Amino acid sequence: MLNQQGLTEEEFLEQYNANHYERPSVTVDMLIFTIGSQQKENYRKLSKKTLQLLLIKRGEHPYMNQWALPGGFVSINESIDDAAIRELKEETNVDNIYMEQLYTWGDVGRDPRTRVISCSYMALVNREKIELHASTNATDAKWFDMSYTITEEKVNEDKKEKLVQLQLTSGTEHLSAIIKITELPNKTIREIISSEDIAFDHAKMIFYAVERLQNKIEYTDVAFQLMPPQFTLTELQQVYEIILNKQLLSAAFRRKIAHLVTETNEYTKNAGHRPSQLFRFNKQ
Amino acid sequence: MLNQQGLTEEEFLEQYNANHYERPSVTVDMLIFTIGSQQKENYRKLSKKTLQLLLIKRGEHPYMNQWALPGGFVSINESIDDAAIRELKEETNVDNIYMEQLYTWGDVGRDPRTRVISCSYMALVNREKIELHASTNATDAKWFDMSYTITEEKVNEDKKEKLVQLQLTSGTEHLSAIIKITELPNKTIREIISSEDIAFDHAKMIFYAVERLQNKIEYTDVAFQLMPPQFTLTELQQVYEIILNKQLLSAAFRRKIAHLVTETNEYTKNAGHRPSQLFRFNKQ
DNA sequence: ATAATAGTGTCTTTCAGACAGTATAGT
DNA sequence: ACTATACTGTCTGAAAGACACTATTAT
C-alpha cells in the first residue's frame, strides 16, 4: 500500500527522520516502601510500626546533598518497566517484587538540567528481603520514616483544597515538605509549597504514592506484599493502620481480612503477654 | 556549594550535556469518551445508549488506513498535560473538559518508526458540546460504539488470566481486538493477541481506559461528566449500566446516587409513557 | 497479681438486593 | 385499554461499627 508520496511502508520507515523533533529525556523514579519497627518501650508493649521510604542523598548538582527518590534514565532500548526493575535491583538488590506504575510527571521546569519527563513506580518490599547498595552517584541511601498531616481543608462547590505536611525522618536527618492539592471539577492540581531537603518535585510524587497505596489497600491485597511469610493479625492490622493513617477496631478488622489469611499452628513467644497465633497470606 | 569536580551548581548546569543519552520520543494519546444514543425502536421505547470512543483514520504509514487514538508528540517546551489539552482541543474543539492521566506505555517495539513512549489520557465529554475537526494527517475522525466481552477466565493460586474481546463499530466500519491480561502476584501483563484495523498497541490502551472508568464510576462522580446539564435518573442509570457492562436495579440505583443529584421542576415530554423528572448534578 | 495484648460474642446500624406494587402519559 | 416507563415501599440478608467480655503469658 502506498501513501500520498507513493511510498510503501518499508520505504517510509527508511526515510523517517527520528530526530525531527527535539526530544525530552525520560527517567523512572522509584517509590520503594517497606515497614519498619521501632524499639519496644518496655518488655510488654508491642513495637510501633512505621511506613518507610527509601531515599538517596544526591552527590551531584542539582539539589546536591538533598535527598531524592532512587531512579535514572530510561535507555533507548529498554522498556520503562525494565528500567524500573533495573533501578530497583541496583538500589535494593531485590527483584521479583510487587511493582506498579503510578504516574508520569511532565512539567517543563521540573529538572534544571534539561527537559525531563519522569515516570514514577511504587514497589512494596518486605524489609527482611533487603540489603541496601549505595549506588554510584549517591553518597548514601537510607530508609526514612514517613508521616503526614492534612493541615487545612477547604471545600467549595467546585473546588476542594487541602494542604499536606509531609515529614520524613531517619536518625538525625529530618526532611519535610508542604504540598497543596486542588481538586477542580476537571482536573487535580498538585503544587509544592515548600520542600526542605527533598530534591526536585519528589515530595509531590511521595504523597501521590501514599494516596494510591491508601486506595489500593482498601480493595486489594497489596498489604501482604509488605508482610513477612508469617505474621500475627495484630501486625497486619498495624500495617493497615499506618497506611490508612487511622485506628481500626480489631474485631471488625479480623472479620474483614479473615478470607485473606490462613492460620498456622504456630504462636509468638516471649511476648510478655498472651501469645498470638501466626497466619499466612491466603492467595485467591 | 561545590561538587566533586569543584563546580558550583551554576557552572555544573552550564556544562551539562543534555544530549549525552539518546532520547526516546514522547507522545500523548487521548481516549475521548462520550455517550451516544441509538434510534428508538418505537415511539414508546427509550433509545439505547452506547459508550463511544473517538478514533482517527491514519493517512500515513505505519498502520495506514487503520484507526488510531488521537494524539501527537509532546513538544520540548510544553508539559504533557498541556500537550493532552492541545490534542483534545485540536480534535474536538473543546477545552475545560474532564481529563485524567491514565498510564504510560513504554515498550520498546511499540512504534515501528522510532522509540516512542506514550502517555495516555482519558477525557469525558458530553456529546452535545462537541464538533469534530479532522486533523491534518488524518483522513477521518469518527465516534465508535464500544463493547467487549470477557471470553475466558482462568484463576490459579498465583495467576489470573483473562481474554477480552473488544469491538468497535461505526456505521459499516467494524474494528476488533483480543487482549490477554495476566495478573501475576507482582505485576499485571497486557498483551495484544490480535488487532483488526486498530493501529499500534491502542487496543490495550482502550481496554485499560475502560477498566479505569469502571473503577472510577463506582467511587467518584465522573459519570456526570458524560451527562448533559439536565437528565432523568433512568438516563443516568443507563450510563452506569453501559460503563459497568451490567444491569442495575432501579430502586437500589436511585438510593445510591440520591445524594449526587438535585431535582428540578421539569419533566420529559412526549415520551409515550409516564413523564420523567429531570435532575441536575449536585456537586459536593 | 498485674500489665498488656489476643481473641470472641453480640447488639445495632447501614446499605445493597430483590421484588411487588402504584402512577402516568401517548396512542 | 394498553404499553412502556417512572417511581416508591418494604422485606431480607450481609457487613461494618461499637463495645463488652474472656483468655493468656512474662514478669
Side-chain angles (χ1 to χ4, degrees):
Chain A
M1 199 184 315
L2 305 180
N3 72 1
Q4 288 173 338
Q5 285 81 47
L7 298 178
T8 66
E9 178 160 5
E10 207 176 345
E11 289 163 350
F12 171 85
L13 290 175
E14 207 152 296
Q15 62 90 58
Y16 182 83
N17 181 0
N19 292 314
H20 191 63
Y21 302 95
E22 197 182 348
R23 297 173 173 205
S25 290
V26 179
T27 63
V28 290
D29 283 316
M30 302 297 303
L31 290 123
I32 308 170
F33 288 106
T34 194
I35 300 293
S37 38
Q38 294 176 336
Q39 277 228 310
K40 288 190 180 191
E41 279 179 40
N42 71 47
Y43 78 97
R44 280 186 202 285
K45 284 210 169 177
L46 291 174
S47 69
K48 276 189 187 151
K49 297 278 174 20
T50 55
L51 182 62
Q52 296 186 320
L53 177 67
L54 187 67
L55 293 177
I56 285 181
K57 192 166 187 176
R58 287 189 55 78
E60 179 58 282
H61 296 305
Y63 299 100
M64 197 165 82
N65 296 331
Q66 294 196 24
W67 294 83
L69 295 170
F73 289 94
V74 176
S75 72
I76 199 77
N77 49 16
E78 163 189 66
S79 78
I80 50 175
D81 282 3
D82 287 344
I85 291 166
R86 175 175 54 73
E87 290 293 339
L88 182 64
K89 174 85 178 170
E90 281 174 19
E91 235 54 73
T92 61
N93 205 30
V94 291
D95 46 18
N96 211 27
I97 283 295
Y98 180 82
M99 221 173 65
E100 180 190 342
Q101 192 194 106
L102 294 180
Y103 195 79
T104 299
W105 307 83
D107 282 355
V108 173
R110 44 180 304 286
D111 191 315
R113 291 169 293 186
T114 177
R115 175 74 193 280
V116 177
I117 290 171
S118 183
C119 186
S120 59
Y121 280 79
M122 171 168 77
L124 303 179
V125 292
N126 168 14
R127 181 61 165 278
E128 293 166 20
K129 283 198 189 175
I130 284 196
E131 40 172 318
L132 293 181
H133 283 221
S135 86
T136 344
N137 59 340
T139 52
D140 218 344
K142 264 190 189 173
W143 290 106
F144 282 79
D145 288 339
M146 264 206 50
S147 68
Y148 67 89
T149 38
I150 291 168
T151 45
E152 212 186 315
E153 213 161 356
K154 267 191 248 171
V155 185
N156 280 5
E157 186 171 336
D158 41 64
K159 198 162 129 181
K160 225 185 274 183
E161 244 181 45
K162 63 181 172 193
L163 279 182
V164 182
Q165 165 127 36
L166 197 67
Q167 309 226 312
L168 294 152
T169 40
S170 176
T172 58
E173 214 75 60
H174 184 85
L175 325 179
S176 69
I178 295 173
I179 302 153
K180 183 171 164 188
I181 298 176
T182 313
E183 287 177 53
L184 302 175
N186 297 333
K187 58 179 170 186
T188 302
I189 300 166
R190 292 154 205 281
E191 299 163 88
I192 293 182
I193 304 298
S194 68
S195 181
E196 294 289 321
D197 294 322
I198 303 174
F200 303 101
D201 53 359
H202 288 184
K204 266 201 252 188
M205 296 192 190
I206 294 168
F207 190 68
Y208 184 93
V210 171
E211 283 189 307
R212 178 81 137 251
L213 189 52
Q214 285 185 344
N215 274 325
K216 277 250 158 169
I217 206 175
E218 295 272 25
Y219 67 95
T220 70
D221 50 22
V222 275
F224 293 94
Q225 305 291 335
L226 294 164
M227 304 304 292
Q230 296 198 5
F231 47 82
T232 69
L233 296 185
T234 303
E235 285 167 349
L236 185 62
Q237 185 175 339
Q238 287 177 320
V239 170
Y240 274 77
E241 286 177 341
I242 53 171
I243 290 175
L244 295 174
N245 214 22
K246 70 176 179 200
Q247 296 298 109
L248 302 174
L249 291 169
S250 70
F253 177 77
R254 277 153 190 263
R255 267 188 317 230
K256 204 172 173 179
I257 53 85
H259 68 288
L260 294 173
V261 296
T262 332
E263 57 179 8
T264 69
N265 294 321
E266 293 176 58
Y267 289 80
T268 55
K269 282 178 189 122
N270 302 316
H273 49 75
R274 178 174 171 179
S276 180
Q277 194 172 12
L278 294 172
F279 288 78
R280 297 180 155 281
F281 178 30
N282 176 28
K283 290 165 204 162
Q284 274 161 333
Chain B
M1 201 183 315
L2 306 180
N3 72 1
Q4 288 171 339
Q5 285 83 47
L7 298 177
T8 65
E9 178 159 7
E10 208 176 345
E11 289 163 351
F12 171 86
L13 290 175
E14 205 152 295
Q15 62 88 56
Y16 182 85
N17 182 0
N19 291 314
H20 190 64
Y21 303 93
E22 197 181 348
R23 299 173 172 205
S25 290
V26 179
T27 63
V28 289
D29 283 316
M30 302 298 303
L31 290 122
I32 307 170
F33 289 106
T34 194
I35 301 293
S37 38
Q38 294 177 339
Q39 277 227 308
K40 288 190 181 192
E41 279 178 39
N42 71 47
Y43 78 97
R44 279 191 202 282
K45 285 212 169 175
L46 291 174
S47 69
K48 276 191 188 150
K49 296 280 175 16
T50 55
L51 181 62
Q52 296 187 319
L53 177 67
L54 186 67
L55 293 177
I56 285 182
K57 193 167 187 174
R58 288 188 56 77
E60 179 57 283
H61 296 305
Y63 298 101
M64 197 165 81
N65 295 332
Q66 294 197 24
W67 294 84
L69 296 169
F73 289 93
V74 175
S75 73
I76 198 77
N77 48 17
E78 163 188 67
S79 76
I80 51 176
D81 281 4
D82 287 345
I85 291 166
R86 175 175 54 74
E87 289 293 338
L88 182 64
K89 174 86 179 172
E90 281 174 17
E91 234 55 73
T92 61
N93 203 30
V94 292
D95 46 20
N96 211 25
I97 283 295
Y98 179 83
M99 220 174 66
E100 179 190 344
Q101 192 194 108
L102 293 180
Y103 195 79
T104 300
W105 306 83
D107 282 355
V108 173
R110 44 179 305 284
D111 190 314
R113 292 169 293 187
T114 177
R115 174 73 194 279
V116 177
I117 290 171
S118 183
C119 186
S120 59
Y121 280 78
M122 170 167 78
L124 303 180
V125 290
N126 167 15
R127 181 59 165 276
E128 293 167 19
K129 284 199 187 173
I130 286 195
E131 40 171 316
L132 292 182
H133 282 221
S135 84
T136 345
N137 59 340
T139 52
D140 218 345
K142 263 191 189 171
W143 290 106
F144 282 77
D145 289 338
M146 265 208 46
S147 67
Y148 66 89
T149 38
I150 292 168
T151 45
E152 210 186 318
E153 214 162 355
K154 266 191 249 170
V155 183
N156 280 5
E157 186 173 335
D158 38 64
K159 200 162 126 179
K160 225 185 274 182
E161 244 181 46
K162 64 181 173 192
L163 279 181
V164 182
Q165 166 127 38
L166 197 67
Q167 308 225 314
L168 293 153
T169 41
S170 176
T172 58
E173 214 75 57
H174 185 83
L175 326 179
S176 68
I178 295 174
I179 301 152
K180 183 173 164 188
I181 298 175
T182 313
E183 287 177 52
L184 302 175
N186 298 332
K187 56 180 173 188
T188 303
I189 300 165
R190 293 155 204 281
E191 299 163 88
I192 294 181
I193 303 298
S194 69
S195 180
E196 295 287 321
D197 294 322
I198 303 174
F200 303 102
D201 52 359
H202 288 184
K204 264 200 254 190
M205 297 191 190
I206 294 168
F207 189 67
Y208 184 93
V210 171
E211 284 189 308
R212 176 82 135 250
L213 189 52
Q214 285 185 345
N215 274 325
K216 277 249 157 169
I217 206 175
E218 295 272 25
Y219 68 95
T220 71
D221 49 22
V222 276
F224 293 94
Q225 304 291 335
L226 295 164
M227 305 304 293
Q230 296 198 6
F231 47 83
T232 69
L233 295 184
T234 304
E235 284 167 350
L236 185 61
Q237 184 175 342
Q238 287 177 320
V239 170
Y240 274 78
E241 287 177 342
I242 53 169
I243 289 175
L244 294 173
N245 214 23
K246 68 176 180 200
Q247 296 299 108
L248 302 174
L249 292 168
S250 69
F253 177 77
R254 279 155 188 262
R255 266 186 318 225
K256 204 171 170 178
I257 52 88
H259 68 289
L260 293 173
V261 296
T262 332
E263 57 179 10
T264 70
N265 294 321
E266 294 177 57
Y267 289 81
T268 55
K269 284 180 187 119
N270 304 315
H273 49 75
R274 177 172 169 181
S276 180
Q277 194 172 10
L278 293 173
F279 288 77
R280 296 181 157 279
F281 178 29
N282 175 29
K283 291 166 204 162
Q284 274 161 332

